[in-house]
Amino acid sequence: MKLEICSFSGSKIYPSRGRTFIRGDGRTFRFLNSKTESLFHQRKNPRKFNWTVVFRKMHRKGISEEVAKKRTRRAVKYNRAIVGASWEAINARRNEKTEIRTAARAEAVAKAKAARKEEASKRKAARTSNPTAGQKFSKQQARGAQVKVQANSR
């Protein structure tokens, strides 16, 4: 036994009861009785009729037992290590002074600059020792195509 729900009042429609209305766009509406159907066609708002289910839900009517207020669960914070750093290391980093942190950062930047400069000088030395290594050529030349020789005479 399949029960339908009234499109206007929200109440149950038992088999062999009610009426069905199919709108021009194909949407189906089921009504409990002619009263609900008439109010629907008059474009009345079901929230304003105190006998509809929608009104009763909006105004909290008929709720037999008062539901206790739901408790929100607070997120509990845990202090734990992450991959690559132990908890002691994280805590030590957090508690160190800003002057120490900025000095360490400046030292790391200077170290990185020195390493980059050294790498650049190595590359420059390699380029000067092998001058043909850095020449540019097209993809066809790389694949072994013959280089066109420009004509000298007209």
Side-chain angles (χ1 to χ4, degrees):
M1 179 170 85
K2 188 172 186 240
L3 297 179
E4 302 289 347
I5 305 275
C6 179
S7 297
F8 186 82
S9 68
S11 48
K12 295 174 191 170
I13 304 172
Y14 287 89
S16 77
R17 299 275 174 184
R19 288 173 121 191
T20 306
F21 168 68
I22 300 169
R23 200 162 55 187
D25 62 357
R27 180 130 185 253
T28 306
F29 297 95
R30 291 186 166 78
F31 302 109
L32 179 65
N33 50 26
S34 59
K35 174 183 172 182
T36 57
E37 187 181 10
S38 172
L39 290 167
F40 175 83
H41 288 307
Q42 291 174 50
R43 296 175 179 256
K44 299 290 185 189
N45 190 349
R47 290 174 191 85
K48 292 187 177 178
F49 291 91
N50 56 9
W51 49 268
T52 61
V53 172
V54 184
F55 177 94
R56 295 182 70 77
K57 275 187 184 168
M58 267 182 59
H59 294 85
R60 300 185 181 191
K61 305 289 181 190
I63 301 170
S64 58
E65 53 194 52
E66 196 61 38
V67 181
K69 195 172 185 180
K70 288 184 182 177
R71 292 181 184 167
T72 54
R73 295 194 68 181
R74 296 274 159 114
V76 180
K77 290 187 178 180
Y78 288 104
N79 297 327
R80 61 180 182 208
I82 56 170
V83 177
S86 67
W87 173 242
E88 289 78 26
I90 293 169
N91 224 4
R93 203 82 175 279
R94 186 184 288 166
N95 294 333
E96 71 185 12
K97 297 258 191 297
T98 54
E99 297 87 33
I100 298 168
R101 206 176 298 133
T102 52
R105 191 181 297 121
E107 187 181 324
V109 167
K111 197 174 184 182
K113 275 186 182 177
R116 206 177 303 121
K117 199 171 188 180
E118 187 182 327
E119 184 69 32
S121 64
K122 277 184 185 177
R123 256 191 269 124
K124 195 171 187 181
R127 205 178 306 129
T128 54
S129 66
N130 191 2
T132 57
Q135 287 181 346
K136 293 184 179 178
F137 49 86
S138 69
K139 286 183 182 177
Q140 282 83 8
Q141 288 171 334
R143 292 187 184 126
Q146 289 185 344
V147 180
K148 285 186 178 177
V149 179
Q150 296 231 327
N152 300 1
S153 63
R154 296 187 119 169

